[in-house]
């Protein structure tokens, strides 16, 4: 469902650019609103969420799909944790399609999806590892990289139950906005994938903004 935000970017307490193909990691506090803005269009933003109080509690695609009774994420969707708690709620969305089935790309999946000679190419799991290595204060390890959301990624389910990776339906300036229902660690890989039509084979930067609830 397409819903625009009333928040003013000039009042954001965090306003940063994540370059094409790079990671980003921050703590978003309960009540803050977090926006991912697709600057040039059709950029896949692979994102994981963890409870800041207990990293063993993290985003669950299974619980989110089951409890929202919908495969796709948009306004009104609550993102649930592995403990069944609400982590974030999507409160604005000008794209309308976000995937949580396709997973994050890895060197291994590059060989399966594309070709054996693609194995050396940079992948989202490399970005996740780079971020948790440089932010070791959160105590995350390789085994903590689990379910993710692919914001702005178009992965429709076929009538026979399969998944396809299609051209993106986002555009320059489209965004999705979430209200944190608990303190969460956000771990992003701004996807470096060069072989996927979802980002038009062209990784681009995204803008990340956070508002305090009281000042938004």
């Amino acid at each position: 469902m397409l819903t625009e935000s009333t928040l003013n970017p000039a009042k954001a307490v965090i306003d940063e650019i994540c370059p094409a193909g790079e990671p980003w990691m921050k703590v978003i506090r309960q009540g803050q609103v977090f926006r991912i803005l697709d600057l040039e269009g059709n950029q896949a933003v692979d994102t994981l969420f963890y409870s800041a109080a207990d990293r063993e509690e993290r985003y669950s695609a299974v619980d989110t799909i089951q409890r929202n009774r919908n495969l796709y994420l948009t306004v009104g969707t609550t993102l649930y944790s592995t403990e069944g708690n609400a982590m974030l709620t999507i409160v604005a969305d000008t794209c309308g399609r976000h995937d949580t089935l396709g997973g994050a790309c890895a060197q291994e999946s590059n060989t399966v999806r594309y070709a054996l000679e693609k194995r050396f190419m940079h992948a989202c799991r490399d970005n996740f590892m780079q971020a948790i290595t440089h932010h070791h204060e959160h105590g995350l390890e390789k085994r903590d990289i689990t379910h993710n959301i692919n914001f702005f990624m178009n992965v429709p389910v076929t009538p026979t139950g399969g998944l396809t990776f299609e051209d993106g339906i986002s555009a320059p300036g489209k965004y999705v906005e979430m209200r944190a229902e608990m303190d969460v660690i956000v771990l992003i890989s701004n996807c470096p994938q060069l072989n996927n039509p979802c980002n038009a084979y062209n990784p681009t930067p995204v803008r990340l903004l956070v508002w305090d609830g009281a000042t938004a």
Side-chain angles (χ1 to χ4, degrees):
M1 184 169 59
L2 302 184
T3 302
E4 295 188 359
S5 171
T6 59
L7 297 181
N8 182 354
K11 294 185 177 181
V13 295
I14 295 175
D15 185 353
E16 299 180 358
I17 301 294
C18 181
E22 294 295 320
W24 188 87
M25 194 173 191
K26 295 282 183 186
V27 174
I28 309 298
R29 299 297 177 186
Q30 183 179 22
Q32 289 187 316
V33 178
F34 173 50
R35 178 187 294 181
I36 305 175
L37 193 157
D38 189 3
L39 286 170
E40 298 185 28
N42 291 335
Q43 173 59 22
V45 185
D46 294 41
T47 306
L48 299 107
F49 297 104
Y50 302 86
S51 164
D54 177 10
R55 63 178 173 81
E56 296 293 332
E57 181 176 9
R58 70 282 305 267
Y59 170 73
S60 167
V62 173
D63 288 273
T64 298
I65 293 170
Q66 182 181 48
R67 298 184 66 168
N68 287 283
R69 296 178 177 273
N70 202 324
L71 289 175
Y72 304 119
L73 316 180
T74 188
V75 169
T77 300
T78 298
L79 309 182
Y80 286 98
S81 74
T82 48
E83 302 300 318
N85 296 314
M87 302 190 80
L88 304 104
T89 301
I90 298 179
V91 294
D93 183 10
T94 59
C95 174
R97 174 63 65 88
H98 310 282
D99 163 68
T100 193
L101 294 174
C105 61
Q107 288 184 315
E108 292 79 7
S109 65
N110 281 343
T111 67
V112 174
R113 288 176 179 171
Y114 309 114
L116 186 59
E117 58 268 26
K118 307 292 187 185
R119 182 182 177 86
F120 76 94
M121 297 180 74
H122 192 52
C124 283
R125 291 185 69 88
D126 301 325
N127 272 345
F128 291 146
M129 287 302 300
Q130 180 182 341
I132 62 178
T133 299
H134 286 89
H135 294 276
H136 51 81
E137 69 272 17
H138 297 305
L140 295 171
E141 302 176 356
K142 186 176 183 178
R143 67 178 181 177
D144 296 311
I145 300 173
T146 57
H147 298 169
N148 71 292
I149 298 171
N150 300 304
F151 288 106
F152 310 114
M153 194 166 171
N154 186 20
V155 184
V157 177
T158 69
T160 57
L163 294 178
T164 62
F165 295 83
E166 301 293 339
D167 291 347
I169 59 173
S170 187
K174 299 285 187 182
Y175 59 83
V176 60
E177 214 169 79
M178 293 153 274
R179 181 184 63 242
E181 309 294 357
M182 64 168 66
D183 292 352
V184 293
I185 303 167
V186 180
L187 174 53
I188 283 176
S189 167
N190 192 22
C191 187
Q193 186 55 253
L194 294 168
N195 302 287
N196 195 319
C198 287
N199 65 357
Y201 312 102
N202 179 36
T204 53
V206 294
R207 184 179 175 187
L208 305 161
L209 303 101
V210 177
W211 289 265
D212 285 335
T215 59

PDB file of all heavy atoms in Angstrom, residues 8 12-13 16 23 35 37-38 53 72-73 78 82 88 91 101 114 125 151 164 169-170 181 184-185 188 193 204:
ATOM      1  N   ASN A   8      10.001  15.551   8.061  1.00  0.00           N
ATOM      2  CA  ASN A   8      10.868  16.527   7.409  1.00  0.00           C
ATOM      3  C   ASN A   8      12.324  16.076   7.488  1.00  0.00           C
ATOM      4  O   ASN A   8      12.877  15.976   8.594  1.00  0.00           O
ATOM      5  CB  ASN A   8      10.690  17.877   8.099  1.00  0.00           C
ATOM      6  CG  ASN A   8      11.520  18.966   7.449  1.00  0.00           C
ATOM      7  OD1 ASN A   8      12.314  18.713   6.542  1.00  0.00           O
ATOM      8  ND2 ASN A   8      11.352  20.189   7.916  1.00  0.00           N
ATOM      9  N   ALA A  12      15.825  15.247  10.781  1.00  0.00           N
ATOM     10  CA  ALA A  12      16.370  13.919  11.061  1.00  0.00           C
ATOM     11  C   ALA A  12      17.615  14.028  11.945  1.00  0.00           C
ATOM     12  O   ALA A  12      18.431  14.941  11.774  1.00  0.00           O
ATOM     13  CB  ALA A  12      16.714  13.204   9.756  1.00  0.00           C
ATOM     14  N   VAL A  13      17.740  13.091  12.889  1.00  0.00           N
ATOM     15  CA  VAL A  13      18.912  13.082  13.767  1.00  0.00           C
ATOM     16  C   VAL A  13      20.054  12.283  13.141  1.00  0.00           C
ATOM     17  O   VAL A  13      21.208  12.396  13.567  1.00  0.00           O
ATOM     18  CB  VAL A  13      18.557  12.530  15.157  1.00  0.00           C
ATOM     19  CG1 VAL A  13      17.572  13.459  15.852  1.00  0.00           C
ATOM     20  CG2 VAL A  13      17.985  11.114  15.078  1.00  0.00           C
ATOM     21  N   GLU A  16      22.458   9.947   6.479  1.00  0.00           N
ATOM     22  CA  GLU A  16      23.712   9.461   5.921  1.00  0.00           C
ATOM     23  C   GLU A  16      23.480   8.788   4.572  1.00  0.00           C
ATOM     24  O   GLU A  16      22.384   8.302   4.287  1.00  0.00           O
ATOM     25  CB  GLU A  16      24.380   8.458   6.884  1.00  0.00           C
ATOM     26  CG  GLU A  16      24.731   9.082   8.243  1.00  0.00           C
ATOM     27  CD  GLU A  16      25.386   8.081   9.184  1.00  0.00           C
ATOM     28  OE1 GLU A  16      25.539   6.902   8.803  1.00  0.00           O
ATOM     29  OE2 GLU A  16      25.739   8.501  10.308  1.00  0.00           O
ATOM     30  N   PRO A  23      28.325  -1.704   3.257  1.00  0.00           N
ATOM     31  CA  PRO A  23      27.483  -1.995   4.420  1.00  0.00           C
ATOM     32  C   PRO A  23      27.204  -0.752   5.251  1.00  0.00           C
ATOM     33  O   PRO A  23      27.876   0.284   5.084  1.00  0.00           O
ATOM     34  CB  PRO A  23      28.338  -2.990   5.213  1.00  0.00           C
ATOM     35  CG  PRO A  23      29.746  -2.581   4.919  1.00  0.00           C
ATOM     36  CD  PRO A  23      29.751  -2.046   3.505  1.00  0.00           C
ATOM     37  N   ARG A  35      14.106   5.618   7.901  1.00  0.00           N
ATOM     38  CA  ARG A  35      13.751   5.632   6.473  1.00  0.00           C
ATOM     39  C   ARG A  35      14.911   5.138   5.618  1.00  0.00           C
ATOM     40  O   ARG A  35      16.062   5.535   5.836  1.00  0.00           O
ATOM     41  CB  ARG A  35      13.379   7.039   6.016  1.00  0.00           C
ATOM     42  CG  ARG A  35      13.033   7.132   4.513  1.00  0.00           C
ATOM     43  CD  ARG A  35      12.844   8.563   4.040  1.00  0.00           C
ATOM     44  NE  ARG A  35      11.678   9.197   4.644  1.00  0.00           N
ATOM     45  CZ  ARG A  35      11.296  10.449   4.377  1.00  0.00           C
ATOM     46  NH1 ARG A  35      11.981  11.174   3.503  1.00  0.00           N
ATOM     47  NH2 ARG A  35      10.238  10.970   4.979  1.00  0.00           N
ATOM     48  N   LEU A  37      15.898   5.360   1.712  1.00  0.00           N
ATOM     49  CA  LEU A  37      15.502   6.093   0.505  1.00  0.00           C
ATOM     50  C   LEU A  37      16.336   5.604  -0.686  1.00  0.00           C
ATOM     51  O   LEU A  37      17.568   5.644  -0.658  1.00  0.00           O
ATOM     52  CB  LEU A  37      15.703   7.595   0.733  1.00  0.00           C
ATOM     53  CG  LEU A  37      15.063   8.544  -0.272  1.00  0.00           C
ATOM     54  CD1 LEU A  37      14.846   9.915   0.355  1.00  0.00           C
ATOM     55  CD2 LEU A  37      15.917   8.721  -1.519  1.00  0.00           C
ATOM     56  N   ASP A  38      15.632   5.172  -1.703  1.00  0.00           N
ATOM     57  CA  ASP A  38      16.250   4.646  -2.920  1.00  0.00           C
ATOM     58  C   ASP A  38      16.593   5.827  -3.841  1.00  0.00           C
ATOM     59  O   ASP A  38      15.736   6.339  -4.554  1.00  0.00           O
ATOM     60  CB  ASP A  38      15.254   3.687  -3.589  1.00  0.00           C
ATOM     61  CG  ASP A  38      15.858   2.907  -4.731  1.00  0.00           C
ATOM     62  OD1 ASP A  38      17.066   3.044  -4.988  1.00  0.00           O
ATOM     63  OD2 ASP A  38      15.099   2.139  -5.354  1.00  0.00           O
ATOM     64  N   ALA A  53      18.980  -5.439  22.883  1.00  0.00           N
ATOM     65  CA  ALA A  53      19.118  -5.956  24.248  1.00  0.00           C
ATOM     66  C   ALA A  53      19.564  -7.409  24.266  1.00  0.00           C
ATOM     67  O   ALA A  53      20.161  -7.874  25.252  1.00  0.00           O
ATOM     68  CB  ALA A  53      17.788  -5.818  24.991  1.00  0.00           C
ATOM     69  N   TYR A  72       4.425 -10.237   1.039  1.00  0.00           N
ATOM     70  CA  TYR A  72       5.125  -8.990   0.732  1.00  0.00           C
ATOM     71  C   TYR A  72       4.945  -7.986   1.863  1.00  0.00           C
ATOM     72  O   TYR A  72       3.927  -7.980   2.554  1.00  0.00           O
ATOM     73  CB  TYR A  72       4.608  -8.412  -0.586  1.00  0.00           C
ATOM     74  CG  TYR A  72       4.723  -9.381  -1.733  1.00  0.00           C
ATOM     75  CD1 TYR A  72       3.592  -9.805  -2.419  1.00  0.00           C
ATOM     76  CD2 TYR A  72       5.970  -9.894  -2.106  1.00  0.00           C
ATOM     77  CE1 TYR A  72       3.697 -10.703  -3.466  1.00  0.00           C
ATOM     78  CE2 TYR A  72       6.070 -10.797  -3.153  1.00  0.00           C
ATOM     79  CZ  TYR A  72       4.933 -11.198  -3.830  1.00  0.00           C
ATOM     80  OH  TYR A  72       5.029 -12.090  -4.855  1.00  0.00           O
ATOM     81  N   LEU A  73       5.921  -7.128   2.020  1.00  0.00           N
ATOM     82  CA  LEU A  73       5.937  -6.192   3.133  1.00  0.00           C
ATOM     83  C   LEU A  73       5.610  -4.794   2.627  1.00  0.00           C
ATOM     84  O   LEU A  73       6.183  -4.334   1.648  1.00  0.00           O
ATOM     85  CB  LEU A  73       7.324  -6.192   3.786  1.00  0.00           C
ATOM     86  CG  LEU A  73       7.974  -7.553   4.028  1.00  0.00           C
ATOM     87  CD1 LEU A  73       9.339  -7.374   4.672  1.00  0.00           C
ATOM     88  CD2 LEU A  73       7.084  -8.437   4.889  1.00  0.00           C
ATOM     89  N   THR A  78       3.941  -5.490  10.368  1.00  0.00           N
ATOM     90  CA  THR A  78       4.797  -5.530  11.552  1.00  0.00           C
ATOM     91  C   THR A  78       5.883  -6.562  11.320  1.00  0.00           C
ATOM     92  O   THR A  78       5.598  -7.675  10.873  1.00  0.00           O
ATOM     93  CB  THR A  78       3.970  -5.893  12.802  1.00  0.00           C
ATOM     94  OG1 THR A  78       2.980  -4.890  13.014  1.00  0.00           O
ATOM     95  CG2 THR A  78       4.862  -5.975  14.031  1.00  0.00           C
ATOM     96  N   THR A  82      12.271 -13.572  16.227  1.00  0.00           N
ATOM     97  CA  THR A  82      12.248 -15.010  16.470  1.00  0.00           C
ATOM     98  C   THR A  82      11.565 -15.357  17.787  1.00  0.00           C
ATOM     99  O   THR A  82      11.207 -16.513  18.018  1.00  0.00           O
ATOM    100  CB  THR A  82      13.683 -15.541  16.501  1.00  0.00           C
ATOM    101  OG1 THR A  82      14.479 -14.698  17.364  1.00  0.00           O
ATOM    102  CG2 THR A  82      14.288 -15.547  15.104  1.00  0.00           C
ATOM    103  N   LEU A  88       9.620  -3.773  14.445  1.00  0.00           N
ATOM    104  CA  LEU A  88       9.372  -2.514  13.741  1.00  0.00           C
ATOM    105  C   LEU A  88       8.024  -2.623  13.021  1.00  0.00           C
ATOM    106  O   LEU A  88       7.551  -3.727  12.732  1.00  0.00           O
ATOM    107  CB  LEU A  88      10.459  -2.208  12.696  1.00  0.00           C
ATOM    108  CG  LEU A  88      11.909  -2.160  13.192  1.00  0.00           C
ATOM    109  CD1 LEU A  88      12.633  -3.432  12.789  1.00  0.00           C
ATOM    110  CD2 LEU A  88      12.644  -0.940  12.674  1.00  0.00           C
ATOM    111  N   VAL A  91       5.479   2.247   8.404  1.00  0.00           N
ATOM    112  CA  VAL A  91       4.490   3.325   8.549  1.00  0.00           C
ATOM    113  C   VAL A  91       4.363   4.197   7.294  1.00  0.00           C
ATOM    114  O   VAL A  91       3.430   4.997   7.189  1.00  0.00           O
ATOM    115  CB  VAL A  91       4.825   4.207   9.771  1.00  0.00           C
ATOM    116  CG1 VAL A  91       4.667   3.407  11.062  1.00  0.00           C
ATOM    117  CG2 VAL A  91       6.241   4.778   9.682  1.00  0.00           C
ATOM    118  N   LEU A 101      11.801 -13.318   0.947  1.00  0.00           N
ATOM    119  CA  LEU A 101      11.930 -14.739   0.621  1.00  0.00           C
ATOM    120  C   LEU A 101      13.252 -15.060  -0.079  1.00  0.00           C
ATOM    121  O   LEU A 101      13.781 -16.163   0.056  1.00  0.00           O
ATOM    122  CB  LEU A 101      10.779 -15.179  -0.296  1.00  0.00           C
ATOM    123  CG  LEU A 101       9.378 -15.152   0.293  1.00  0.00           C
ATOM    124  CD1 LEU A 101       8.357 -15.477  -0.794  1.00  0.00           C
ATOM    125  CD2 LEU A 101       9.252 -16.133   1.443  1.00  0.00           C
ATOM    126  N   TYR A 114      24.067 -17.777 -11.200  1.00  0.00           N
ATOM    127  CA  TYR A 114      24.598 -17.086 -12.382  1.00  0.00           C
ATOM    128  C   TYR A 114      25.612 -17.943 -13.150  1.00  0.00           C
ATOM    129  O   TYR A 114      25.303 -18.385 -14.243  1.00  0.00           O
ATOM    130  CB  TYR A 114      25.187 -15.739 -11.962  1.00  0.00           C
ATOM    131  CG  TYR A 114      24.217 -14.931 -11.130  1.00  0.00           C
ATOM    132  CD1 TYR A 114      24.485 -14.640  -9.794  1.00  0.00           C
ATOM    133  CD2 TYR A 114      22.991 -14.502 -11.664  1.00  0.00           C
ATOM    134  CE1 TYR A 114      23.577 -13.927  -9.022  1.00  0.00           C
ATOM    135  CE2 TYR A 114      22.075 -13.792 -10.896  1.00  0.00           C
ATOM    136  CZ  TYR A 114      22.377 -13.507  -9.572  1.00  0.00           C
ATOM    137  OH  TYR A 114      21.472 -12.815  -8.809  1.00  0.00           O
ATOM    138  N   ARG A 125      26.649 -11.147   1.790  1.00  0.00           N
ATOM    139  CA  ARG A 125      27.176 -11.792   2.999  1.00  0.00           C
ATOM    140  C   ARG A 125      28.586 -11.291   3.314  1.00  0.00           C
ATOM    141  O   ARG A 125      28.976 -11.247   4.483  1.00  0.00           O
ATOM    142  CB  ARG A 125      27.136 -13.323   2.845  1.00  0.00           C
ATOM    143  CG  ARG A 125      25.723 -13.881   2.850  1.00  0.00           C
ATOM    144  CD  ARG A 125      25.711 -15.411   2.825  1.00  0.00           C
ATOM    145  NE  ARG A 125      26.197 -16.005   4.053  1.00  0.00           N
ATOM    146  CZ  ARG A 125      25.433 -16.265   5.098  1.00  0.00           C
ATOM    147  NH1 ARG A 125      24.153 -15.979   5.075  1.00  0.00           N
ATOM    148  NH2 ARG A 125      25.941 -16.826   6.174  1.00  0.00           N
ATOM    149  N   PHE A 151      14.735  -4.802   0.750  1.00  0.00           N
ATOM    150  CA  PHE A 151      13.894  -3.649   0.454  1.00  0.00           C
ATOM    151  C   PHE A 151      14.063  -3.232  -1.010  1.00  0.00           C
ATOM    152  O   PHE A 151      15.174  -3.226  -1.544  1.00  0.00           O
ATOM    153  CB  PHE A 151      14.239  -2.490   1.388  1.00  0.00           C
ATOM    154  CG  PHE A 151      13.768  -2.720   2.805  1.00  0.00           C
ATOM    155  CD1 PHE A 151      14.670  -3.035   3.810  1.00  0.00           C
ATOM    156  CD2 PHE A 151      12.421  -2.638   3.119  1.00  0.00           C
ATOM    157  CE1 PHE A 151      14.238  -3.249   5.111  1.00  0.00           C
ATOM    158  CE2 PHE A 151      11.971  -2.853   4.417  1.00  0.00           C
ATOM    159  CZ  PHE A 151      12.890  -3.163   5.415  1.00  0.00           C
ATOM    160  N   THR A 164      10.833 -15.841  -8.778  1.00  0.00           N
ATOM    161  CA  THR A 164      11.578 -15.275  -9.897  1.00  0.00           C
ATOM    162  C   THR A 164      12.142 -13.922  -9.473  1.00  0.00           C
ATOM    163  O   THR A 164      11.541 -13.212  -8.660  1.00  0.00           O
ATOM    164  CB  THR A 164      10.686 -15.080 -11.139  1.00  0.00           C
ATOM    165  OG1 THR A 164       9.639 -14.163 -10.822  1.00  0.00           O
ATOM    166  CG2 THR A 164      10.093 -16.399 -11.598  1.00  0.00           C
ATOM    167  N   ILE A 169      10.572  -2.463  -9.297  1.00  0.00           N
ATOM    168  CA  ILE A 169       9.443  -1.559  -9.523  1.00  0.00           C
ATOM    169  C   ILE A 169       9.634  -0.263  -8.747  1.00  0.00           C
ATOM    170  O   ILE A 169       8.738   0.565  -8.675  1.00  0.00           O
ATOM    171  CB  ILE A 169       8.103  -2.205  -9.137  1.00  0.00           C
ATOM    172  CG1 ILE A 169       8.099  -2.614  -7.650  1.00  0.00           C
ATOM    173  CG2 ILE A 169       7.811  -3.406 -10.021  1.00  0.00           C
ATOM    174  CD1 ILE A 169       6.757  -3.106  -7.168  1.00  0.00           C
ATOM    175  N   SER A 170      10.813  -0.088  -8.130  1.00  0.00           N
ATOM    176  CA  SER A 170      11.107   1.150  -7.434  1.00  0.00           C
ATOM    177  C   SER A 170      11.586   2.198  -8.444  1.00  0.00           C
ATOM    178  O   SER A 170      11.652   1.934  -9.650  1.00  0.00           O
ATOM    179  CB  SER A 170      12.184   0.911  -6.372  1.00  0.00           C
ATOM    180  OG  SER A 170      12.372   2.075  -5.586  1.00  0.00           O
ATOM    181  N   GLU A 181       9.798  -0.626  17.327  1.00  0.00           N
ATOM    182  CA  GLU A 181       8.973  -1.005  18.477  1.00  0.00           C
ATOM    183  C   GLU A 181       9.827  -1.476  19.644  1.00  0.00           C
ATOM    184  O   GLU A 181       9.318  -1.743  20.735  1.00  0.00           O
ATOM    185  CB  GLU A 181       7.971  -2.105  18.068  1.00  0.00           C
ATOM    186  CG  GLU A 181       7.160  -1.796  16.816  1.00  0.00           C
ATOM    187  CD  GLU A 181       6.203  -0.609  16.991  1.00  0.00           C
ATOM    188  OE1 GLU A 181       6.135  -0.057  18.096  1.00  0.00           O
ATOM    189  OE2 GLU A 181       5.534  -0.232  15.997  1.00  0.00           O
ATOM    190  N   VAL A 184      16.674  -1.619  18.231  1.00  0.00           N
ATOM    191  CA  VAL A 184      17.108  -2.614  17.257  1.00  0.00           C
ATOM    192  C   VAL A 184      18.470  -2.233  16.660  1.00  0.00           C
ATOM    193  O   VAL A 184      18.771  -1.044  16.484  1.00  0.00           O
ATOM    194  CB  VAL A 184      16.094  -2.802  16.102  1.00  0.00           C
ATOM    195  CG1 VAL A 184      14.809  -3.422  16.605  1.00  0.00           C
ATOM    196  CG2 VAL A 184      15.813  -1.497  15.396  1.00  0.00           C
ATOM    197  N   ILE A 185      19.255  -3.241  16.374  1.00  0.00           N
ATOM    198  CA  ILE A 185      20.472  -3.072  15.581  1.00  0.00           C
ATOM    199  C   ILE A 185      20.090  -3.288  14.128  1.00  0.00           C
ATOM    200  O   ILE A 185      19.490  -4.318  13.788  1.00  0.00           O
ATOM    201  CB  ILE A 185      21.550  -4.106  15.990  1.00  0.00           C
ATOM    202  CG1 ILE A 185      21.871  -3.992  17.477  1.00  0.00           C
ATOM    203  CG2 ILE A 185      22.803  -3.939  15.134  1.00  0.00           C
ATOM    204  CD1 ILE A 185      22.683  -5.179  18.003  1.00  0.00           C
ATOM    205  N   ILE A 188      22.830  -3.424   7.316  1.00  0.00           N
ATOM    206  CA  ILE A 188      22.477  -3.308   5.897  1.00  0.00           C
ATOM    207  C   ILE A 188      23.656  -3.710   5.016  1.00  0.00           C
ATOM    208  O   ILE A 188      24.807  -3.363   5.284  1.00  0.00           O
ATOM    209  CB  ILE A 188      22.061  -1.849   5.569  1.00  0.00           C
ATOM    210  CG1 ILE A 188      20.637  -1.573   6.071  1.00  0.00           C
ATOM    211  CG2 ILE A 188      22.158  -1.549   4.072  1.00  0.00           C
ATOM    212  CD1 ILE A 188      20.192  -0.141   5.876  1.00  0.00           C
ATOM    213  N   GLN A 193      25.376  -6.633  -5.964  1.00  0.00           N
ATOM    214  CA  GLN A 193      25.157  -7.625  -7.011  1.00  0.00           C
ATOM    215  C   GLN A 193      25.071  -6.987  -8.407  1.00  0.00           C
ATOM    216  O   GLN A 193      24.265  -6.102  -8.663  1.00  0.00           O
ATOM    217  CB  GLN A 193      23.866  -8.384  -6.722  1.00  0.00           C
ATOM    218  CG  GLN A 193      23.584  -9.545  -7.639  1.00  0.00           C
ATOM    219  CD  GLN A 193      24.731 -10.548  -7.669  1.00  0.00           C
ATOM    220  OE1 GLN A 193      25.457 -10.615  -8.661  1.00  0.00           O
ATOM    221  NE2 GLN A 193      24.899 -11.285  -6.591  1.00  0.00           N
ATOM    222  N   THR A 204      23.614   1.181  -6.729  1.00  0.00           N
ATOM    223  CA  THR A 204      23.613   2.641  -6.550  1.00  0.00           C
ATOM    224  C   THR A 204      23.495   2.971  -5.059  1.00  0.00           C
ATOM    225  O   THR A 204      23.075   2.122  -4.262  1.00  0.00           O
ATOM    226  CB  THR A 204      22.449   3.286  -7.322  1.00  0.00           C
ATOM    227  OG1 THR A 204      21.231   2.637  -6.946  1.00  0.00           O
ATOM    228  CG2 THR A 204      22.647   3.142  -8.825  1.00  0.00           C
TER     229      THR A 204
END
